[in-house]
Amino acid sequence: MSNEKVILVTGGSGLVGKAIEWVIENDNGKYGKQEGEKWIFLTSKDGDLRSAEATRAIFEKYKPTHVIHLAALVGGLFKNMKYKLDFLRDNLLINDNILHTAHEHKVKKVVSCLSTCVFPDKTTYPIDETMIHNGPPHESNFGYAYAKRLIDTQNKAYHDQFGDHFTSVIPTNVFGPHDNYDLQDSHVIPGLVHKCYLAKKNGTPFAVAGTGKPLRQFIYSRDLAKLFVWVLREYEEIDPIILSVGEKDEVSIKDVADAIVKSVGFEGDYTFDTSKADGQYKKTASNAKLMKYLPDFQFTPFEVAVKESTEWFIQNYDSARTGNH
Ligand code: NAP
Ligand code: GFB
Protein backbone atom coordinates (compact mmCIF):
# COMPACT_ATOMS: atom_id res chain seq x y z
CA MET A 1 0.00 0.00 0.00
CA SER A 2 1.84 3.13 -1.23
CA ASN A 3 1.72 6.26 0.94
CA GLU A 4 1.94 8.41 -2.14
CA LYS A 5 -0.52 11.34 -2.16
CA VAL A 6 -2.02 11.69 -5.67
CA ILE A 7 -3.45 15.22 -5.81
CA LEU A 8 -5.87 15.93 -8.68
CA VAL A 9 -6.47 19.62 -9.42
CA THR A 10 -9.62 20.12 -11.50
CA GLY A 11 -9.57 23.38 -13.47
CA GLY A 12 -5.77 23.18 -13.38
CA SER A 13 -5.35 25.29 -16.54
CA GLY A 14 -7.19 28.35 -15.20
CA LEU A 15 -6.07 31.42 -13.20
CA VAL A 16 -6.05 29.66 -9.80
CA GLY A 17 -4.91 26.25 -11.12
CA LYS A 18 -1.89 27.76 -12.87
CA ALA A 19 -0.98 29.65 -9.69
CA ILE A 20 -1.04 26.43 -7.63
CA GLU A 21 1.15 24.75 -10.27
CA TRP A 22 3.57 27.71 -10.10
CA VAL A 23 3.78 27.54 -6.28
CA ILE A 24 4.25 23.75 -6.24
CA GLU A 25 7.09 24.01 -8.78
CA ASN A 26 8.78 27.24 -7.59
CA ASP A 27 8.20 27.77 -3.86
CA ASN A 28 11.33 26.72 -1.93
CA GLY A 29 9.59 27.26 1.39
CA LYS A 30 6.78 25.30 3.07
CA TYR A 31 4.35 25.62 0.14
CA GLY A 32 6.44 23.86 -2.54
CA LYS A 33 6.05 20.20 -3.64
CA GLN A 34 6.74 17.73 -0.81
CA GLU A 35 8.20 14.19 -0.86
CA GLY A 36 5.51 11.60 -1.71
CA GLU A 37 3.21 14.06 -3.50
CA LYS A 38 2.17 13.61 -7.15
CA TRP A 39 0.27 16.60 -8.58
CA ILE A 40 -2.01 16.31 -11.66
CA PHE A 41 -3.40 19.49 -13.23
CA LEU A 42 -6.50 18.86 -15.38
CA THR A 43 -7.87 20.89 -18.28
CA SER A 44 -11.29 20.47 -19.91
CA LYS A 45 -9.49 18.50 -22.64
CA ASP A 46 -9.07 15.67 -20.09
CA GLY A 47 -12.87 15.46 -20.02
CA ASP A 48 -16.04 17.57 -19.65
CA LEU A 49 -16.87 17.39 -15.93
CA ARG A 50 -20.56 18.08 -16.67
CA SER A 51 -20.60 14.43 -17.77
CA ALA A 52 -20.67 11.81 -14.97
CA GLU A 53 -19.12 9.29 -17.35
CA ALA A 54 -16.20 11.55 -18.32
CA THR A 55 -15.64 12.38 -14.64
CA ARG A 56 -15.54 8.68 -13.67
CA ALA A 57 -13.06 7.96 -16.48
CA ILE A 58 -10.71 10.66 -15.13
CA PHE A 59 -10.86 9.22 -11.58
CA GLU A 60 -10.29 5.68 -12.87
CA LYS A 61 -7.27 6.91 -14.86
CA TYR A 62 -5.56 8.92 -12.10
CA LYS A 63 -6.90 7.27 -8.90
CA PRO A 64 -6.53 10.43 -6.81
CA THR A 65 -6.22 10.28 -2.99
CA HIS A 66 -6.85 14.03 -2.72
CA VAL A 67 -8.70 16.59 -4.92
CA ILE A 68 -8.53 20.37 -5.22
CA HIS A 69 -11.74 21.14 -7.11
CA LEU A 70 -11.47 24.42 -9.05
CA ALA A 71 -13.20 23.61 -12.36
CA ALA A 72 -16.26 25.80 -12.94
CA LEU A 73 -18.03 28.10 -15.36
CA VAL A 74 -16.48 31.38 -14.21
CA GLY A 75 -16.85 34.99 -15.33
CA GLY A 76 -17.13 38.64 -14.36
CA LEU A 77 -20.21 40.70 -13.53
CA PHE A 78 -21.42 41.17 -17.13
CA LYS A 79 -21.11 37.46 -18.08
CA ASN A 80 -22.90 36.45 -14.85
CA MET A 81 -25.75 38.84 -15.58
CA LYS A 82 -26.22 37.34 -19.07
CA TYR A 83 -25.99 33.58 -18.39
CA LYS A 84 -27.56 32.96 -14.92
CA LEU A 85 -29.03 29.56 -15.88
CA ASP A 86 -25.76 28.30 -17.46
CA PHE A 87 -23.84 29.38 -14.33
CA LEU A 88 -26.35 27.56 -12.14
CA ARG A 89 -26.69 24.35 -14.16
CA ASP A 90 -23.11 23.83 -15.40
CA ASN A 91 -21.72 24.34 -11.90
CA LEU A 92 -24.37 22.13 -10.26
CA LEU A 93 -23.49 19.31 -12.71
CA ILE A 94 -19.70 19.73 -12.36
CA ASN A 95 -19.81 19.88 -8.54
CA ASP A 96 -22.16 16.90 -8.15
CA ASN A 97 -20.04 14.76 -10.51
CA ILE A 98 -16.79 15.60 -8.72
CA LEU A 99 -18.10 15.10 -5.17
CA HIS A 100 -20.01 11.91 -5.89
CA THR A 101 -17.20 10.34 -7.91
CA ALA A 102 -14.74 11.31 -5.13
CA HIS A 103 -17.09 9.60 -2.66
CA GLU A 104 -17.29 6.45 -4.82
CA HIS A 105 -13.47 6.40 -5.09
CA LYS A 106 -13.00 6.89 -1.31
CA VAL A 107 -10.95 10.05 -1.88
CA LYS A 108 -9.39 11.09 1.47
CA LYS A 109 -10.01 14.84 1.09
CA VAL A 110 -11.65 17.25 -1.37
CA VAL A 111 -11.14 21.03 -1.17
CA SER A 112 -13.73 22.87 -3.28
CA CYS A 113 -13.86 26.56 -4.16
CA LEU A 114 -16.71 28.99 -3.47
CA SER A 115 -16.56 32.81 -3.77
CA THR A 116 -17.52 35.76 -1.53
CA CYS A 117 -20.28 36.66 -4.02
CA VAL A 118 -22.23 33.69 -2.56
CA PHE A 119 -22.97 35.58 0.66
CA PRO A 120 -26.30 37.38 1.18
CA ASP A 121 -26.47 40.80 -0.48
CA LYS A 122 -28.38 42.35 2.43
CA THR A 123 -26.14 41.62 5.42
CA THR A 124 -24.07 43.13 8.18
CA TYR A 125 -20.34 43.73 7.65
CA PRO A 126 -17.81 42.34 7.79
CA ILE A 127 -19.18 39.09 6.35
CA ASP A 128 -17.99 35.86 8.02
CA GLU A 129 -18.25 32.14 7.26
CA THR A 130 -21.38 31.65 9.42
CA MET A 131 -23.47 33.93 7.17
CA ILE A 132 -23.31 31.85 3.99
CA HIS A 133 -26.98 30.75 3.91
CA ASN A 134 -28.54 33.83 5.58
CA GLY A 135 -30.52 35.22 2.67
CA PRO A 136 -30.52 35.73 -1.11
CA PRO A 137 -27.26 36.62 -2.90
CA HIS A 138 -26.95 39.67 -5.17
CA GLU A 139 -29.34 39.61 -8.14
CA SER A 140 -26.48 39.89 -10.69
CA ASN A 141 -24.99 36.46 -9.95
CA PHE A 142 -27.63 34.35 -8.16
CA GLY A 143 -27.15 31.43 -10.60
CA TYR A 144 -23.46 31.00 -9.77
CA ALA A 145 -23.97 31.87 -6.09
CA TYR A 146 -26.62 29.22 -5.36
CA ALA A 147 -24.65 26.50 -7.19
CA LYS A 148 -21.58 27.41 -5.12
CA ARG A 149 -23.54 27.57 -1.81
CA LEU A 150 -24.78 24.04 -2.43
CA ILE A 151 -21.17 22.76 -2.33
CA ASP A 152 -21.15 23.60 1.40
CA THR A 153 -24.46 21.74 1.82
CA GLN A 154 -23.14 18.75 -0.17
CA ASN A 155 -19.94 18.65 1.93
CA LYS A 156 -21.97 18.56 5.15
CA ALA A 157 -24.30 15.85 3.80
CA TYR A 158 -21.42 13.58 2.67
CA HIS A 159 -19.73 14.07 6.05
CA ASP A 160 -22.93 13.45 8.01
CA GLN A 161 -23.97 10.29 6.17
CA PHE A 162 -20.58 8.75 5.19
CA GLY A 163 -17.91 10.63 7.19
CA ASP A 164 -16.31 11.94 3.97
CA HIS A 165 -13.77 14.75 4.47
CA PHE A 166 -14.97 17.25 1.85
CA THR A 167 -14.40 20.92 2.71
CA SER A 168 -14.31 24.28 0.92
CA VAL A 169 -12.64 27.68 0.77
CA ILE A 170 -14.21 31.08 -0.03
CA PRO A 171 -11.82 33.44 -1.87
CA THR A 172 -12.57 37.08 -2.61
CA ASN A 173 -11.95 38.39 -6.17
CA VAL A 174 -8.76 36.80 -7.54
CA PHE A 175 -6.32 38.10 -10.17
CA GLY A 176 -2.86 37.27 -11.54
CA PRO A 177 -1.00 35.59 -14.45
CA HIS A 178 -3.01 33.25 -16.78
CA ASP A 179 -6.27 35.19 -16.07
CA ASN A 180 -9.15 35.44 -18.57
CA TYR A 181 -8.73 38.80 -20.39
CA ASP A 182 -11.82 38.56 -22.65
CA LEU A 183 -13.20 42.13 -22.84
CA GLN A 184 -16.82 41.10 -22.17
CA ASP A 185 -16.56 37.98 -19.99
CA SER A 186 -13.58 38.78 -17.74
CA HIS A 187 -13.37 40.09 -14.20
CA VAL A 188 -12.54 43.76 -13.58
CA ILE A 189 -8.72 43.62 -13.22
CA PRO A 190 -7.93 41.51 -16.34
CA GLY A 191 -10.68 43.37 -18.25
CA LEU A 192 -9.23 46.79 -17.42
CA VAL A 193 -5.60 45.68 -17.98
CA HIS A 194 -6.59 44.51 -21.49
CA LYS A 195 -8.63 47.69 -22.21
CA CYS A 196 -5.87 49.99 -20.92
CA TYR A 197 -3.20 48.13 -22.92
CA LEU A 198 -5.27 48.53 -26.12
CA ALA A 199 -5.97 52.22 -25.35
CA LYS A 200 -2.22 52.90 -24.99
CA LYS A 201 -1.37 50.87 -28.11
CA ASN A 202 -4.12 52.47 -30.28
CA GLY A 203 -4.10 55.95 -28.71
CA THR A 204 -7.80 55.60 -27.82
CA PRO A 205 -9.64 56.60 -24.56
CA PHE A 206 -9.66 54.19 -21.61
CA ALA A 207 -13.25 53.62 -20.39
CA VAL A 208 -13.98 52.03 -17.01
CA ALA A 209 -17.47 50.51 -16.66
CA GLY A 210 -19.80 51.90 -14.01
CA THR A 211 -19.20 54.71 -11.49
CA GLY A 212 -15.90 53.45 -10.06
CA LYS A 213 -17.43 53.58 -6.55
CA PRO A 214 -18.01 49.88 -5.70
CA LEU A 215 -15.59 48.36 -3.19
CA ARG A 216 -13.74 45.03 -3.49
CA GLN A 217 -11.06 42.95 -1.74
CA PHE A 218 -8.62 41.36 -4.21
CA ILE A 219 -6.29 38.41 -3.52
CA TYR A 220 -3.26 37.74 -5.75
CA SER A 221 -3.56 34.26 -7.32
CA ARG A 222 -0.11 33.19 -6.08
CA ASP A 223 -1.00 34.11 -2.47
CA LEU A 224 -4.29 32.22 -2.81
CA ALA A 225 -2.38 29.26 -4.24
CA LYS A 226 -0.20 29.01 -1.11
CA LEU A 227 -3.33 29.07 1.05
CA PHE A 228 -4.90 26.27 -1.03
CA VAL A 229 -1.81 24.12 -0.44
CA TRP A 230 -2.03 24.84 3.30
CA VAL A 231 -5.78 23.97 3.37
CA LEU A 232 -5.15 20.69 1.53
CA ARG A 233 -2.36 19.66 3.90
CA GLU A 234 -3.47 21.05 7.29
CA TYR A 235 -7.06 22.42 7.47
CA GLU A 236 -9.20 19.78 9.24
CA GLU A 237 -12.67 21.42 9.35
CA ILE A 238 -15.65 20.63 7.06
CA ASP A 239 -16.88 24.19 7.53
CA PRO A 240 -15.63 26.64 4.88
CA ILE A 241 -12.91 29.27 5.44
CA ILE A 242 -12.67 32.71 3.79
CA LEU A 243 -9.33 33.25 2.00
CA SER A 244 -8.87 37.01 1.66
CA VAL A 245 -6.80 40.07 2.44
CA GLY A 246 -8.06 42.08 5.43
CA GLU A 247 -10.97 44.56 5.42
CA LYS A 248 -8.51 47.47 5.52
CA ASP A 249 -7.15 46.38 2.11
CA GLU A 250 -10.54 46.89 0.43
CA VAL A 251 -10.22 49.25 -2.58
CA SER A 252 -12.64 51.08 -4.89
CA ILE A 253 -12.89 50.27 -8.61
CA LYS A 254 -11.43 53.76 -9.21
CA ASP A 255 -8.38 52.79 -7.10
CA VAL A 256 -8.09 49.64 -9.24
CA ALA A 257 -8.23 51.66 -12.47
CA ASP A 258 -5.63 54.11 -11.13
CA ALA A 259 -3.24 51.23 -10.28
CA ILE A 260 -3.73 49.74 -13.76
CA VAL A 261 -3.16 53.11 -15.52
CA LYS A 262 0.13 53.34 -13.56
CA SER A 263 1.21 49.73 -14.28
CA VAL A 264 0.47 50.03 -18.02
CA GLY A 265 2.01 53.53 -18.20
CA PHE A 266 -1.10 54.98 -19.86
CA GLU A 267 -1.20 58.80 -20.20
CA GLY A 268 -4.38 59.35 -22.26
CA ASP A 269 -8.02 60.14 -21.39
CA TYR A 270 -9.66 57.98 -18.71
CA THR A 271 -13.44 58.01 -18.29
CA PHE A 272 -16.25 56.19 -16.41
CA ASP A 273 -19.08 54.73 -18.51
CA THR A 274 -21.95 55.06 -16.05
CA SER A 275 -24.33 53.41 -18.51
CA LYS A 276 -22.73 50.11 -17.45
CA ALA A 277 -23.76 48.27 -14.25
CA ASP A 278 -21.88 48.60 -10.94
CA GLY A 279 -23.21 45.26 -9.65
CA GLN A 280 -22.94 44.65 -5.91
CA TYR A 281 -21.73 47.79 -4.04
CA LYS A 282 -19.54 45.79 -1.62
CA LYS A 283 -19.02 42.28 -0.12
CA THR A 284 -16.59 43.15 2.67
CA ALA A 285 -15.34 39.89 4.16
CA SER A 286 -13.54 39.18 7.44
CA ASN A 287 -10.37 37.04 7.27
CA ALA A 288 -10.25 36.66 11.06
CA LYS A 289 -10.66 32.85 10.89
CA LEU A 290 -7.71 32.56 8.47
CA MET A 291 -5.59 34.92 10.57
CA LYS A 292 -6.24 32.76 13.64
CA TYR A 293 -4.69 29.82 11.79
CA LEU A 294 -1.94 31.73 9.91
CA PRO A 295 -1.29 35.00 11.80
CA ASP A 296 2.03 35.60 9.97
CA PHE A 297 0.83 34.97 6.41
CA GLN A 298 2.27 37.65 4.09
CA PHE A 299 0.00 38.95 1.30
CA THR A 300 1.65 40.54 -1.77
CA PRO A 301 1.00 44.33 -1.73
CA PHE A 302 -1.81 45.22 -4.19
CA GLU A 303 0.23 47.55 -6.45
CA VAL A 304 3.10 45.01 -6.67
CA ALA A 305 0.66 42.24 -7.65
CA VAL A 306 -1.07 44.48 -10.25
CA LYS A 307 2.34 45.36 -11.73
CA GLU A 308 3.44 41.68 -11.94
CA SER A 309 0.07 40.68 -13.48
CA THR A 310 0.22 43.48 -16.06
CA GLU A 311 3.80 42.56 -17.04
CA TRP A 312 2.78 38.90 -17.42
CA PHE A 313 -0.13 39.93 -19.69
CA ILE A 314 2.01 42.18 -21.92
CA GLN A 315 4.76 39.52 -22.22
CA ASN A 316 2.21 36.76 -23.02
CA TYR A 317 -0.33 38.78 -25.03
CA ASP A 318 -0.23 36.44 -28.06
CA SER A 319 -1.02 33.29 -26.06
CA ALA A 320 -3.19 34.82 -23.30
CA ARG A 321 -7.01 34.26 -23.15
CA THR A 322 -7.99 37.56 -24.78
CA GLY A 323 -11.06 36.25 -26.56
CA ASN A 324 -9.25 37.01 -29.87
CA HIS A 325 -7.96 33.47 -30.47
P1 NAP B 1 -10.80 30.03 -14.97
O1 NAP B 1 -9.52 30.75 -15.12
O2 NAP B 1 -11.97 30.42 -15.81
O3 NAP B 1 -10.52 28.46 -15.15
C1 NAP B 1 -11.59 27.55 -15.13
C2 NAP B 1 -11.01 26.15 -15.19
O4 NAP B 1 -12.08 25.20 -15.18
C3 NAP B 1 -10.19 25.88 -16.47
O5 NAP B 1 -9.14 25.02 -16.15
C4 NAP B 1 -11.22 25.17 -17.38
O6 NAP B 1 -10.59 24.30 -18.32
C5 NAP B 1 -11.97 24.35 -16.32
N1 NAP B 1 -13.33 24.00 -16.76
C6 NAP B 1 -14.35 24.87 -17.01
N2 NAP B 1 -15.47 24.18 -17.38
C7 NAP B 1 -15.12 22.86 -17.38
C8 NAP B 1 -15.82 21.64 -17.71
N3 NAP B 1 -17.09 21.66 -18.10
N4 NAP B 1 -15.14 20.47 -17.61
C9 NAP B 1 -13.83 20.47 -17.23
N5 NAP B 1 -13.12 21.57 -16.89
C10 NAP B 1 -13.75 22.76 -16.98
O7 NAP B 1 -11.31 30.10 -13.46
P2 NAP B 1 -10.54 30.59 -12.12
O8 NAP B 1 -10.69 32.05 -12.01
O9 NAP B 1 -9.18 29.95 -12.06
O10 NAP B 1 -11.48 29.91 -11.00
C11 NAP B 1 -11.09 28.74 -10.31
C12 NAP B 1 -12.05 28.55 -9.17
O11 NAP B 1 -11.99 29.70 -8.31
C13 NAP B 1 -13.52 28.42 -9.62
O12 NAP B 1 -14.17 27.43 -8.88
C14 NAP B 1 -14.11 29.81 -9.33
O13 NAP B 1 -15.47 29.72 -9.07
C15 NAP B 1 -13.33 30.20 -8.09
N6 NAP B 1 -13.22 31.66 -7.84
C16 NAP B 1 -12.66 32.48 -8.78
C17 NAP B 1 -12.58 33.86 -8.49
C18 NAP B 1 -11.99 34.84 -9.48
O14 NAP B 1 -12.03 36.05 -9.18
N7 NAP B 1 -11.44 34.40 -10.61
C19 NAP B 1 -13.04 34.35 -7.25
C20 NAP B 1 -13.55 33.45 -6.31
C21 NAP B 1 -13.64 32.09 -6.62
P3 NAP B 1 -10.07 24.90 -19.76
O15 NAP B 1 -8.86 25.76 -19.43
O16 NAP B 1 -9.70 23.68 -20.51
O17 NAP B 1 -11.21 25.67 -20.31
O1 GFB C 1 -14.79 41.74 -11.30
P1 GFB C 1 -16.23 42.00 -11.63
O2 GFB C 1 -16.66 41.63 -12.99
O3 GFB C 1 -17.09 41.20 -10.57
O4 GFB C 1 -16.61 43.59 -11.44
P2 GFB C 1 -17.93 41.42 -9.26
C1 GFB C 1 -16.26 44.31 -10.41
C2 GFB C 1 -16.67 45.77 -10.57
O5 GFB C 1 -15.81 46.35 -11.57
C3 GFB C 1 -18.09 46.13 -10.99
C4 GFB C 1 -16.55 47.22 -12.42
O6 GFB C 1 -18.51 47.20 -10.19
C5 GFB C 1 -17.94 46.61 -12.44
O7 GFB C 1 -18.91 47.59 -12.80
N1 GFB C 1 -15.88 47.28 -13.73
C6 GFB C 1 -15.37 48.41 -14.28
C7 GFB C 1 -15.66 46.27 -14.57
N2 GFB C 1 -14.82 48.15 -15.49
C8 GFB C 1 -14.99 46.81 -15.70
C9 GFB C 1 -14.62 45.93 -16.77
O8 GFB C 1 -14.04 46.30 -17.79
N3 GFB C 1 -14.96 44.60 -16.63
C10 GFB C 1 -15.61 44.14 -15.48
N4 GFB C 1 -15.89 42.83 -15.40
N5 GFB C 1 -15.97 44.95 -14.46
C11 GFB C 1 -18.25 38.84 -9.66
C12 GFB C 1 -19.35 37.82 -9.68
O9 GFB C 1 -18.78 40.04 -9.22
O10 GFB C 1 -17.21 38.46 -8.76
C13 GFB C 1 -18.79 36.46 -10.03
O11 GFB C 1 -20.33 38.20 -10.64
C14 GFB C 1 -17.58 36.09 -9.17
O12 GFB C 1 -19.79 35.49 -9.86
C15 GFB C 1 -16.60 37.25 -9.13
O13 GFB C 1 -17.96 35.85 -7.89
C16 GFB C 1 -15.46 36.97 -8.19
O14 GFB C 1 -16.99 41.47 -8.13
O15 GFB C 1 -18.90 42.53 -9.39
Side-chain angles (χ1 to χ4, degrees), residues 282-293:
K282 69 177 187 176
K283 34 187 168 177
T284 316
S286 160
N287 70 353
K289 183 174 180 178
L290 174 64
M291 288 299 112
K292 263 207 208 91
Y293 278 104

Side-chain angles (χ1 to χ4, degrees), residues 80-292:
N80 268 270
M81 290 166 70
K82 239 160 77 183
Y83 303 108
K84 289 174 185 161
L85 193 272
D86 295 349
F87 274 94
L88 177 65
R89 198 148 184 276
D90 283 14
N91 289 318
L92 282 175
L93 288 168
I94 292 172
N95 299 337
D96 185 56
N97 287 332
I98 288 292
L99 293 175
H100 205 61
T101 312
H103 168 69
E104 289 171 343
H105 279 252
K106 300 191 176 12
V107 165
K108 292 195 182 106
K109 187 170 181 175
V110 176
V111 180
S112 295
C113 194
L114 285 67
S115 170
T116 52
C117 78
V118 307
F119 286 104
D121 182 40
K122 301 205 173 12
T123 180
T124 54
Y125 298 100
I127 293 166
D128 70 42
E129 291 82 353
T130 66
M131 299 174 178
I132 199 171
H133 301 287
N134 284 6
H138 191 265
E139 171 60 23
S140 63
N141 52 46
F142 72 75
Y144 174 84
Y146 278 119
K148 288 288 187 178
R149 280 188 188 187
L150 267 179
I151 291 177
D152 177 49
T153 312
Q154 287 162 298
N155 288 346
K156 288 180 174 139
Y158 278 105
H159 185 70
D160 241 40
Q161 189 171 342
F162 302 106
D164 287 317
H165 195 153
F166 299 168
T167 188
S168 65
V169 300
I170 314 177
T172 50
N173 291 43
V174 190
F175 71 101
H178 298 279
D179 213 329
N180 178 356
Y181 301 88
D182 181 287
L183 293 170
Q184 276 73 40
D185 295 349
S186 63
H187 291 100
V188 60
I189 291 182
L192 291 182
V193 166
H194 192 178
K195 279 184 191 172
C196 195
Y197 168 80
L198 292 175
K200 181 179 177 188
K201 201 168 118 211
N202 307 332
T204 48
F206 171 48
V208 177
T211 63
K213 294 200 175 82
L215 303 172
R216 298 286 184 272
Q217 288 155 293
F218 292 97
I219 187 166
Y220 189 34
S221 60
R222 291 180 176 175
D223 295 343
L224 176 62
K226 290 175 183 171
L227 296 172
F228 257 106
V229 173
W230 168 75
V231 169
L232 182 81
R233 291 178 183 153
E234 298 177 38
Y235 181 71
E236 293 303 327
E237 299 183 38
I238 302 297
D239 281 336
I241 183 166
I242 290 171
L243 302 181
S244 170
V245 295
E247 293 141 65
K248 64 174 179 28
D249 298 309
E250 190 175 51
V251 291
S252 73
I253 299 304
K254 179 173 181 324
D255 298 331
V256 171
D258 289 345
I260 290 169
V261 162
K262 200 167 153 207
S263 69
V264 170
F266 177 73
E267 283 151 7
D269 287 351
Y270 152 21
T271 56
F272 288 92
D273 175 357
T274 54
S275 72
K276 297 271 176 34
D278 270 341
Q280 196 164 16
Y281 175 65
K282 69 177 187 176
K283 34 187 168 177
T284 316
S286 160
N287 70 353
K289 183 174 180 178
L290 174 64
M291 288 299 112
K292 263 207 208 91

Side-chain angles (χ1 to χ4, degrees), residues 10-17 42-45 47-50 69-74 94 113-116 144 148 171-175 178-180 187 321:
T10 75
S13 49
L15 164 70
V16 182
L42 291 182
T43 87
S44 62
K45 295 186 188 61
D48 184 340
L49 296 172
R50 292 171 296 182
H69 173 38
L70 303 172
L73 179 62
V74 178
I94 292 172
C113 194
L114 285 67
S115 170
T116 52
Y144 174 84
K148 288 288 187 178
T172 50
N173 291 43
V174 190
F175 71 101
H178 298 279
D179 213 329
N180 178 356
H187 291 100
R321 290 184 285 168

Side-chain angles (χ1 to χ4, degrees), residues 23-41:
V23 164
I24 288 299
E25 286 168 4
N26 296 286
D27 187 282
N28 304 323
K30 67 174 185 176
Y31 299 105
K33 187 169 181 299
Q34 288 182 347
E35 188 81 25
E37 287 183 346
K38 181 178 166 195
W39 289 76
I40 298 149
F41 293 88

